Each structure stands twice: as C-alpha cells, then as structure tokens.
C-alpha cells in the first residue's frame, strides 16, 4: 500500500453498492411471474451451478456478454425479446431501486462522507445496466463527488485509463484513492495503476466495507 494518506473511496456499483442480481432471484421471479426456483444460476455464490459465470471468470467472455446472455434468456422465459440489460434490471427491480442497495453500503458511504472522505463510483456499466432513471431515483448517489461510467467513457476496467479517469475527476493521485470491486481482474487493474484496493466479497459485504473504511481509520459501526 502507498504511503500517501487515502482521501477518497472509489466504489464499483453493481455488486458493491447494490446487491447482485444473483442475490435477488426471488424478487425477480415475483416481479416477472416466474415459478420460484426458475432462476438457478448463482454466479459467485455457486460457480458449479453456472457454467457461463465460469467462462467469464476465465476471461472467455466479458461481464457484459454474461449479462447480455442472461437478459435474453429471461426475456424468452416470459415470451419477450430483451436486448438491453437495463430492461432486465427495470423489470426485475425497477419498482424499488432503494430495496436493492446493500444496507452495509449505505452505512459505509454515509460514515465516509461524514468523515470528509471523497466518494466516487467507477463502473463499467452503471447506466448501461441500470438505466439513467434508476440512478436518478437513488438519493444516496448525491453524496458522490464523481461518477465515472464506461457507458459514456467507453473505457472499461481493467484498462488503466479507466482508473486514471477517476483520479482526474477527483483531482487526486491514485495512491490516495482506495478502490473497491468484486471482480478480481478489476482489482488487479487498480493495483497495477497504483491504487490501494479491497477485493469485495459479495458473500461478506460487512467485512469488505469494514476493510475499506479501515484504510481511513474508520469503522463500520
């Protein structure tokens, strides 16, 4: 870790700020009128159940390709032609955006903000996956100083330029920005760019947020 005192907390969005779509299968099934248990792919929670996820982890397909495939599959289950991930998200969880925010995320973000820590999001697909209207209905995002979204920049993590963009947006050296992501490849990219990092464990969100706040001498209380 760099000797520079950390001044900013940079978070991935999907899976870190929000619960993953794997964690909300029951909500999705209810919203779409699917039989409970229809959605049985569990990604990081049960890689053995999800060959497509294993292909993504092996870098055989991108995260975008993974969700594009899942979006089309679920659309077909209800007799519709879904092409955009945002359609999936809106239909599955659009009625209550706040309901999918991790409570640990909200607590950690507010603790950091109150302590004067700068906040940023660095996402590969915030508006691409969630849609701009979803984001606009999340008051928590008003606490962020910068949102760098590859939906618009077209620069995907783990490209080092993606990390440089968030440093520029915050006007801080990357060594002063603690980066949190649930994808190992994106964490490795941040390390290569010179950032202190936390590899977020979606199965242990409180532990991961406690680790992130620890970089600033804060606790998740």
């Amino acid at each position: 870790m760099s000797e520079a005192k950390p001044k900013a907390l940079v978070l991935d969005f999907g899976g870190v700020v929000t619960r993953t779509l794997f964690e909300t299968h029951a909500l999705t099934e209810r919203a779409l009128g699917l039989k409970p248990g229809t959605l049985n792919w569990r990604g990081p929670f049960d890689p053995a159940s999800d060959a497509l996820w294993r292909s993504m982890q092996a870098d055989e397909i991108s995260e975008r390709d993974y969700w594009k495939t899942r979006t089309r599959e679920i659309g077909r289950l209800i007799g519709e032609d879904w092409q955009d991930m945002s359609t999936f998200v809106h239909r599955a969880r659009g009625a209550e955006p706040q309901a999918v925010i991790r409570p640990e995320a909200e607590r950690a973000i507010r603790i950091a903000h109150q302590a004067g820590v700068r906040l940023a999001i660095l996402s590969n697909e915030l508006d691409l996956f969630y849609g701009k209207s979803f984001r606009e209905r999340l008051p928590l995002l008003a606490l962020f100083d910068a949102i760098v979204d590859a939906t618009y920049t077209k620069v995907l993590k783990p490209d080092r330029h993606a990390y440089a963009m968030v440093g520029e947006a915050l006007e801080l050296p990357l060594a002063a920005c603690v980066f949190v992501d649930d994808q190992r490849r994106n964490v490795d990219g941040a390390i290569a760019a010179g950032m202190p990092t936390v590899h977020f464990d979606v199965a242990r969100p409180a532990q991961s947020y406690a680790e992130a706040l620890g970089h600033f001498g804060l606790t998740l209380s």
Side-chain angles (χ1 to χ4, degrees):
M1 181 175 167
S2 167
E3 293 179 3
K5 183 180 178 181
K7 296 180 179 178
L9 179 62
V10 179
L11 304 174
D12 178 36
F13 187 72
V16 174
V17 176
T18 63
R19 291 189 289 158
T20 66
L21 284 156
F22 306 103
E23 294 168 81
T24 55
H25 277 342
L27 187 157
T28 298
E29 288 163 350
R30 284 197 304 274
L32 300 177
L34 296 171
K35 181 181 176 182
T38 299
L39 306 179
N40 56 12
W41 36 269
R42 299 275 295 151
F45 296 92
D46 183 13
S49 73
D50 197 336
L52 198 64
W53 176 265
R54 297 196 304 273
S55 292
M56 190 191 89
Q57 293 301 307
D59 284 327
E60 293 166 1
I61 62 169
S62 71
E63 188 173 16
R64 288 186 176 188
D65 289 335
Y66 177 91
W67 287 112
K68 186 179 291 184
T69 300
R70 292 300 183 206
T71 294
R72 289 172 175 164
E73 284 177 3
I74 293 173
R76 285 196 295 269
L77 286 175
I78 61 169
E80 297 181 12
D81 180 20
W82 290 2
Q83 296 295 322
D84 300 321
M85 178 70 184
S86 60
T87 303
F88 177 9
V89 173
H90 277 269
R91 294 288 293 276
R93 44 171 60 173
E96 295 182 86
Q98 187 61 37
V100 299
I101 297 295
R102 292 192 185 280
E104 303 88 351
E106 177 137 14
R107 194 156 75 247
I109 288 163
R110 293 193 183 281
I111 288 168
H113 177 70
Q114 289 166 8
V117 175
R118 306 281 300 287
L119 294 165
I121 285 172
L122 178 59
S123 173
N124 276 359
E125 60 279 301
L126 200 165
D127 281 4
L128 179 73
F129 279 14
Y130 288 83
K132 189 176 179 182
S133 65
F134 186 95
R135 172 168 53 86
E136 289 172 344
R137 288 187 290 149
L138 292 175
L140 185 68
L141 295 188
L143 300 181
F144 285 77
D145 299 279
I147 295 177
V148 179
D149 181 3
T151 303
Y152 306 108
T153 68
K154 309 302 181 188
V155 181
L156 297 170
K157 298 171 291 185
D159 187 317
R160 67 184 302 123
H161 292 101
Y163 308 99
M165 285 178 179
V166 82
E168 290 164 8
L170 291 168
E171 298 183 336
L172 288 172
L174 290 179
C177 303
V178 177
F179 177 69
V180 183
D181 199 295
D182 62 324
Q183 294 296 320
R184 180 78 251 176
R185 66 171 72 100
N186 296 339
V187 171
D188 289 344
I191 291 169
M195 303 177 83
T197 63
V198 173
H199 185 194
F200 191 87
D201 185 344
V202 294
R204 298 176 179 81
Q207 179 179 310
S208 294
Y209 272 113
E211 182 183 346
L213 291 178
H215 282 270
F216 304 91
L218 300 171
T219 57
L220 188 68
S221 57

